[in-house]
Amino acid sequence: MADYHLEASWSPVEAGPGRLTLTLFNLSSEPLSGFSLTYRSPTRIADTHVCDGASLTRQVADFHEFLPPEGLSIPPGGRWRFTVEGLADEPKHRTDGIKSACLTLGDGRRVAVGFGDLLLEGGDGGVTPPLLPPGRVEEPFALLPWPLSVGLRAGDLPSVLYPAERTRPEAIKALSLLLALYQRLYSAEAAPFSLAAVKGGRAIRFVTESSIAAFAYELRFSAREIVLSSADAAGRHYGLISLAQLLHGARTDRDAFKFPNFGTIADQPRHGWRGCHLDVAGQFYPVADVMRLIDILAWNKFNIFHWHLTDDEAWRLEIKAYPELTEISAGGGTDERPMSDFNDGAQARISHYRQEDVRRIVAHAASLHVEVVPEIDIPGHSTAALSALADLVDRQEPADSYRSPQGYANNALNPAVEFTYEFLGKVFDEVVALFPGEYVHVGGDEVAEEAWLSSPLCRTLMKRERLAGTAELQSYFLRRIKAMLSERGKKLAGWNEAAHGGGVDRDGTLLMAWEKPETGPELAEDGYDVVMTPGKAYYLDMAQAEAWAEPGASWAGFTPPERTYAYEAELPEALREKMRGVQACIWSGNIASRAHFNRLVFPRLPAIAEAAWTPLTRKDWDRFAAIVRMWPVL
């Protein structure tokens, strides 16, 4: 148990976004004096504020540092209470409070501080609603996402499934990979597959059928055997997942679900890009957690893992040319990250992925037909890189000439600093060696409107290149970045703001539409290939109900699972060829624990999997609700 504990509560006031009350409890056996308190919270203090009982000495985005009144000493069992009026935003949920906290003592030691949820003064916080109805199934087969065509009759439950005689080695290897996947996801359950024939089991006969579409499969069931037909390894992989799901459901809930002994499944994905994004900058996830998430993606037939490796908070990828990036900025700077992320060890300060870790993760994903798309978020969201490498900064630019939406000052790589391109060239050299996929995602989002306009170097660049404003400066920057990626055999992916100011060459560029529903059609009309990832439906850090007691963020409203499931991220018929697919996004800055992660991400992640795979006319919310409760979580 921590020797110190911080409680935070919020109360509304007539004018403004309310009052924050913070109380530090000294649970140790010694008096506490000569200290400072630091914490991270999405409820930021505004520039203009009134603080009673303390003084705010430093703030960088969600990082806050307070000093007590001079001479204050908190006795054992005592407390220090202070209030703040003047908040940047009004909190909406209990998770809008403290994310991490610590004390810096007079001798320089940093000591962990315990904390709880943000309390709502004068209210009970409401009730967190159930996320799913009981559900019901008309066809008693556990398949998720639901296939394109199903015509099955239930029969006896086989003890296990095994390869038929004379099965080729590559099919047996594929079966063994799915067996290992299932055992990782359901370690306490009986295996669905055996590599050897078993009495009471049923044989799988593998057929290569060139007339079947890429990534598609067919399953034909009889009491004697199952025939799995596909044209490629991916289709075979998806067919084996369906078999594992069928057997898992029939074993787990024998009253509701059965295994077929007659009939067919004909199946193929609705979209080519079925993605899930994970932000590891706002929250570090150990390698084992990343690999388990990829396992879950494979089980739900996702094929893209978008790995958001850098942001203002941290740079998580080892770059051998610039070890400073992870020596300094993997922890968000030397003093601006009060305590470790929830999955780190108790004293961890720097958390990042070594290149050997990345190779393991990429290979693991590839074995499950999941492509890893790395994101190096530039030019904005670059506080971590700028804090590590001073040569990236135009030293003549005023120190606080613009701020990002998250409150970071001067957080964008400067397009007029030539070292920016030397730096990124070396970063990309190492990135492309680690990630064999088609795309490198380069962000391009949320650059502050006034960014770079006070930079003398940028003013010179604007005059020389006839550029007007921040958006055209970003377009100049991203065009150079696209050329650098093309030289390295990669295509550019980015968020929808990468189209601002003229954007980049549309050929080979993929943009993700997140801001509002009309963004996707606008990008497609402008010639871009598009992945739909709407914040209002597919951002899984958003709360799932309006109640204060529900965890999550609130800037895009609240999104219950049924709304996520029902959402149709489509383009008009004339533009449909520009739509590559859909993607879930897991932003981690507002996720304080594994329990919160699982509450927020599931069952909405499998709901998006069904939107990515299953035609609209085949979707069924009640069937989904009945099946998804058996599906794995982190």
Side-chain angles (χ1 to χ4, degrees):
M1 186 182 76
D3 284 339
Y4 308 99
H5 187 87
L6 182 64
E7 287 288 351
S9 62
W10 176 82
S11 59
V13 296
E14 288 187 7
R19 177 188 302 111
L20 198 61
T21 300
L22 296 112
T23 308
L24 178 68
F25 294 84
N26 181 2
L27 307 178
S28 75
S29 58
E30 301 291 334
L32 175 64
S33 61
F35 64 92
S36 66
L37 168 68
T38 56
Y39 68 79
R40 288 174 56 215
S41 172
T43 299
R44 306 198 309 268
I45 309 301
D47 289 343
T48 302
H49 63 272
V50 176
C51 187
D52 184 14
S55 55
L56 179 64
T57 57
R58 191 157 51 117
Q59 180 188 357
V60 179
D62 65 354
F63 171 88
H64 302 76
E65 180 179 51
F66 286 92
L67 285 178
E70 187 174 353
L72 177 74
S73 179
I74 309 174
R79 66 192 70 182
W80 164 47
R81 179 179 179 273
F82 62 96
T83 62
V84 181
E85 285 192 33
L87 308 177
D89 297 292
E90 180 179 312
K92 300 291 186 182
H93 298 277
R94 62 186 174 92
T95 49
D96 287 335
I98 309 300
K99 298 302 178 188
S100 63
C102 75
L103 297 176
T104 301
L105 305 181
D107 60 6
R109 286 183 296 131
R110 292 163 59 85
V111 181
V113 174
F115 56 90
D117 287 338
L118 183 62
L119 303 175
L120 175 63
E121 295 185 23
D124 66 3
V127 176
T128 56
L131 300 181
L132 293 167
R136 68 174 186 275
V137 292
E138 296 180 4
E139 298 173 88
F141 305 108
L143 290 164
L144 199 168
W146 193 254
L148 175 65
S149 173
V150 177
L152 300 174
R153 187 175 68 195
D156 295 334
L157 180 64
S159 61
V160 74
L161 307 178
Y162 59 86
E165 286 188 22
R166 294 186 295 279
T167 294
R168 284 180 290 185
E170 63 268 22
I172 293 177
K173 183 176 180 180
L175 189 73
S176 71
L177 286 169
L178 259 296
L179 171 60
L181 171 66
Y182 185 88
Q183 290 173 323
R184 292 192 300 270
L185 293 176
Y186 297 104
S187 58
E189 304 298 326
F193 302 127
S194 167
L195 301 188
V198 176
K199 186 176 181 180
R202 197 172 302 173
I204 306 171
R205 183 158 57 89
F206 295 87
V207 175
T208 300
E209 179 57 70
S210 60
S211 63
I212 295 176
F215 313 113
Y217 67 92
E218 293 179 1
L219 288 167
R220 296 194 298 276
F221 294 86
S222 70
R224 183 176 61 87
E225 68 173 5
I226 301 163
V227 179
L228 196 172
S229 302
S230 65
D232 54 26
R236 179 179 61 204
H237 168 78
Y238 296 133
L240 287 171
I241 290 174
S242 290
L243 288 175
Q245 291 180 353
L246 284 165
L247 198 55
H248 176 73
R251 288 171 171 175
T252 302
D253 187 347
R254 297 189 180 212
D255 293 332
F257 298 102
K258 308 298 178 184
F259 194 84
N261 71 349
F262 180 80
T264 62
I265 295 173
D267 197 14
Q268 65 184 59
R270 178 183 184 182
H271 293 301
W273 186 289
R274 304 180 303 281
C276 177
H277 152 291
L278 179 67
D279 161 32
V280 298
Q283 181 74 251
F284 182 75
Y285 297 82
V287 170
D289 284 2
V290 175
M291 293 178 76
R292 179 168 176 85
L293 179 61
I294 291 170
D295 283 346
I296 292 169
L297 298 184
W299 182 253
N300 287 280
K301 297 178 181 167
F302 286 96
N303 67 339
I304 298 291
F305 174 54
H306 173 175
W307 202 3
H308 186 88
L309 289 159
T310 75
D311 211 304
D312 290 306
E313 295 90 345
W315 183 290
R316 302 293 193 189
L317 174 64
E318 178 189 19
I319 300 295
K320 293 185 184 296
Y322 298 105
E324 308 97 309
L325 290 168
T326 47
E327 290 170 357
I328 296 173
S329 68
T334 56
D335 296 313
E336 291 170 6
R337 198 159 187 84
M339 285 304 295
S340 60
D341 302 302
F342 75 82
N343 273 322
D344 294 335
Q347 300 303 318
R349 287 300 315 283
I350 294 180
S351 305
H352 68 272
Y353 303 98
R354 301 168 299 173
Q355 293 195 3
E356 61 194 80
D357 299 326
V358 172
R359 291 188 186 95
R360 283 177 56 209
I361 289 168
V362 169
H364 177 75
S367 75
L368 298 170
H369 296 272
V370 175
E371 178 182 330
V372 182
V373 176
E375 181 178 355
I376 306 298
D377 199 350
I378 52 176
H381 291 286
S382 293
T383 298
L386 290 162
S387 71
L389 298 169
D391 287 345
L392 291 170
V393 177
D394 177 0
R395 292 176 175 82
Q396 299 180 70
E397 184 178 26
D400 196 1
S401 58
Y402 63 90
R403 290 192 188 183
S404 74
Q406 293 76 27
Y408 289 93
N410 293 27
N411 74 325
L413 296 179
N414 193 309
V417 173
E418 201 57 32
F419 177 64
T420 297
Y421 305 99
E422 177 185 336
F423 160 67
L424 290 173
K426 293 180 179 178
V427 169
F428 292 149
D429 285 341
E430 298 190 31
V431 166
V432 301
L434 293 169
F435 297 93
E438 189 176 12
Y439 288 95
V440 173
H441 198 293
V442 297
D445 61 313
E446 295 190 317
V447 173
E449 289 185 7
E450 301 301 312
W452 308 309
L453 300 185
S454 297
S455 162
L457 290 176
C458 275
R459 288 200 297 267
T460 300
L461 174 65
M462 293 168 72
K463 183 176 180 180
R464 186 181 77 234
E465 299 291 333
R466 298 181 180 179
L467 305 173
T470 296
E472 291 190 14
L473 276 168
Q474 172 166 289
S475 175
Y476 167 87
F477 171 85
L478 289 177
R479 288 197 302 269
R480 289 190 63 173
I481 296 305
K482 182 174 173 65
M484 292 168 66
L485 291 175
S486 296
E487 290 169 1
R488 292 162 173 82
K490 298 294 184 181
K491 296 179 180 178
L492 182 147
W495 302 107
N496 57 246
E497 297 98 316
H500 292 178
V504 297
D505 182 5
R506 279 63 172 162
D507 184 34
T509 297
L510 179 69
L511 298 187
M512 297 182 174
W514 69 274
E515 285 189 283
K516 50 187 185 293
E518 55 267 32
T519 299
E522 290 170 355
L523 291 172
E525 187 73 44
D526 199 16
Y528 291 102
D529 287 343
V530 179
V531 169
M532 301 292 280
T533 176
K536 63 180 287 186
Y538 289 177
Y539 271 37
L540 302 186
D541 57 319
M542 292 298 112
Q544 298 178 90
E546 196 169 12
W548 179 273
E550 188 71 27
S554 58
W555 63 263
F558 63 95
T559 308
E562 186 172 7
R563 187 180 301 166
T564 295
Y565 184 83
Y567 190 87
E568 278 296 297
E570 280 289 353
L571 296 182
E573 184 66 38
L575 300 172
R576 200 151 292 169
E577 66 176 12
K578 304 302 292 182
M579 181 168 171
R580 293 283 301 280
V582 301
Q583 179 169 291
C585 286
I586 304 171
W587 295 99
S588 299
N590 204 41
I591 299 177
S593 68
R594 186 180 298 270
H596 283 168
F597 182 98
N598 285 331
R599 171 83 183 181
L600 288 163
V601 172
F602 304 102
R604 291 187 296 184
L605 182 63
I608 297 167
E610 190 142 301
W613 185 281
T614 306
L616 173 61
T617 56
R618 303 291 289 154
K619 291 169 65 176
D620 183 304
W621 168 244
D622 286 316
R623 180 191 63 223
F624 171 84
I627 295 171
V628 77
R629 60 188 74 250
M630 298 184 292
W631 256 223
V633 299
L634 195 67

